[in-house]
Amino acid sequence: MKNFAYARAQDADTAVQLITQNQNAKFLSGGTNLVDLMRENIEQPDHLIDVTGLPLAQVEELPGGGVSIGALVRNSHLAANQIIRERYPVLSQAILMGASAQIRNMATTGGNLMQRTRCYYFYDTDARCNKREPGTGCDALEGFNRIHAILGASDDCIATHPSDMCVALAALDATVHVTGTGVERTIPIVEFHRLPEDTPQIDTNLQPDELITSVELPALPFARNSMYRKVRDRASYAFALVSVAAALEVEDGTIKNVRLALGGVAHKPWRATEAEKVLTGAKADEEIFKRAAAEELKAARGYKHNSFKIELAERTIVSVLKTLASEGGAR
Ligand code: SF4
């Protein structure tokens, strides 16, 4: 690991000031991904700005019925929070299906948003990787690409985003609050992460001096009927091959509201807007669930080892919607 300077910030303004003043600096919170990447010399910051002392570790109810989640709320605390479990079960379930208990105890909400792909070639410094070293090529294209993207990929990168939590946030229409040099702004979660295009080295639309301060969940009463399903190679401590986050409201047999997002299929959490269009206002039955899933996956492209994900994603969408329709979506 390369030597680096360390500073600890006590408030958000100081943290932003420190990152602005220092070249090649990174914020450090739980460190569960960044420190691994530094050990492997994939990330080589000269300065780490420790933000764990900032007062951003609260989950708070908002006046309009939404919830604000501080950027430093630990994943385990968020998953166990009673409000989250009751009003947004999809989020609690998604977090509990990620990583291990030890990692969830360390990992933070903001850090989870910033974690990087688990593409094997990204971690192998002998491999060609446009994300790690722009312009060098992508060994995953012709390599072992079983875990890679089927939607929104480019010829420069076919990596997937590894987070479970962010897939649930995408389904819930969350908003990310950030602060930078003299500017505070909000970014809808679906615009926070980027597709790779020809700049796969840039994962998010966050500016270098911007710090995530909180994530806001809107009031979404029907999200009480929501769930997360993760399909993976083993039952724990594995990333998603495909995952589905969904919330569903059915009234008199008709779909009144639906939110659907996919994980393990793209460079960012994939909001399934095409499927939602098919579903909204339609009769809630298996036929329409299948048609919606097929519509969403119409644009999918498989590579040598991951074409199975297309059918897997379709089947998982149908299965989740059937469960939600039978367990509480219908009134
Ligand atoms: Fe690198 Fe992306 Fe190719 Fe993986 S898929 S090797 S992260 S460029």
Side-chain angles (χ1 to χ4, degrees):
M1 186 193 286
K2 196 180 95 175
N3 285 344
F4 57 88
Y6 171 89
R8 188 169 163 82
Q10 297 299 341
D11 59 65
D13 287 347
T14 309
V16 169
Q17 210 178 358
L18 284 168
I19 208 149
T20 312
Q21 287 166 353
N22 292 293
Q23 291 269 314
N24 194 23
K26 291 245 172 211
F27 291 125
L28 172 72
S29 51
T32 54
N33 186 214
L34 177 59
V35 174
D36 281 350
L37 291 166
M38 289 171 65
R39 284 198 189 110
E40 302 288 336
N41 284 321
I42 295 158
E43 294 273 11
Q44 300 189 322
D46 292 318
H47 300 264
L48 283 187
I49 318 298
D50 185 341
V51 293
T52 53
L54 272 59
L56 301 172
Q58 306 300 321
V59 178
E60 292 168 326
E61 291 189 69
L62 297 171
V67 173
S68 171
I69 303 162
L72 292 171
V73 173
R74 304 283 174 178
N75 283 181
S76 47
H77 289 171
L78 185 56
N81 182 280
Q82 198 60 29
I83 298 168
I84 300 299
R85 290 177 56 180
E86 286 174 12
R87 295 194 205 161
Y88 309 96
V90 62
L91 179 56
S92 179
Q93 291 168 18
I95 293 169
L96 291 175
M97 286 184 201
S100 64
Q102 291 87 348
I103 291 173
R104 293 193 295 270
N105 285 341
M106 285 297 292
T108 62
T109 303
N112 194 317
L113 285 160
M114 296 302 291
Q115 64 177 305
R116 308 205 68 189
T117 185
R118 273 18 181 229
C119 170
Y120 331 110
Y121 302 100
F122 177 65
Y123 283 76
D124 176 359
T125 51
D126 290 330
R128 296 180 306 152
C129 172
N130 287 321
K131 186 181 281 296
R132 181 169 26 78
E133 282 183 69
T136 55
C138 169
D139 273 347
L141 284 169
E142 299 297 328
F144 186 53
N145 43 37
R146 185 168 186 272
I147 63 169
H148 289 77
I150 52 171
L151 287 163
S154 74
D155 290 341
D156 284 343
C157 180
I158 58 171
T160 53
H161 193 264
S163 170
D164 296 296
M165 184 192 86
C166 293
V167 183
L169 293 180
L172 293 170
D173 279 326
T175 310
V176 184
H177 290 239
V178 306
T179 185
T181 315
V183 183
E184 292 191 0
R185 66 182 181 121
T186 56
I187 310 170
I189 184 76
V190 291
E191 293 168 22
F192 185 85
H193 299 98
R194 300 175 70 255
L195 289 177
E197 300 176 344
D198 58 358
T199 51
Q201 71 275 18
I202 307 171
D203 289 339
T204 73
N205 286 314
L206 205 61
Q207 297 302 309
D209 67 339
E210 286 182 323
L211 173 73
I212 301 168
T213 52
S214 66
V215 173
E216 183 177 333
L217 302 178
L220 210 60
F222 74 95
R224 285 176 185 268
N225 185 47
S226 65
M227 66 176 288
Y228 188 72
R229 185 162 294 162
K230 178 174 181 177
V231 183
R232 49 187 160 170
D233 280 331
R234 52 174 194 268
S236 78
Y237 203 44
F239 292 94
L241 290 167
V242 162
S243 68
V244 173
L248 183 71
E249 181 179 24
V250 179
E251 198 170 79
D252 299 329
T254 300
I255 298 168
K256 193 174 169 197
N257 272 305
V258 61
R259 299 284 189 282
L260 198 59
L262 309 178
V265 297
H267 197 257
K268 60 187 280 186
W270 188 265
R271 180 67 181 266
T273 50
E274 296 307 315
E276 288 179 3
K277 278 185 218 157
V278 173
L279 293 164
T280 305
K283 188 170 163 237
D285 60 21
E286 187 167 348
E287 191 194 324
I288 201 75
F289 298 159
K290 282 182 177 169
R291 205 185 315 155
E295 189 63 27
E296 192 62 48
L297 274 299
K298 216 157 72 175
R301 172 191 171 189
Y303 296 83
K304 187 172 177 189
H305 301 281
N306 74 348
S307 294
F308 73 96
K309 281 190 178 188
I310 299 172
E311 188 179 348
L312 183 61
E314 289 187 18
R315 284 172 177 255
T316 311
I317 290 171
V318 173
S319 157
V320 164
L321 291 172
K322 276 171 72 178
T323 305
L324 286 174
S326 64
E327 280 188 358
R331 280 195 278 146

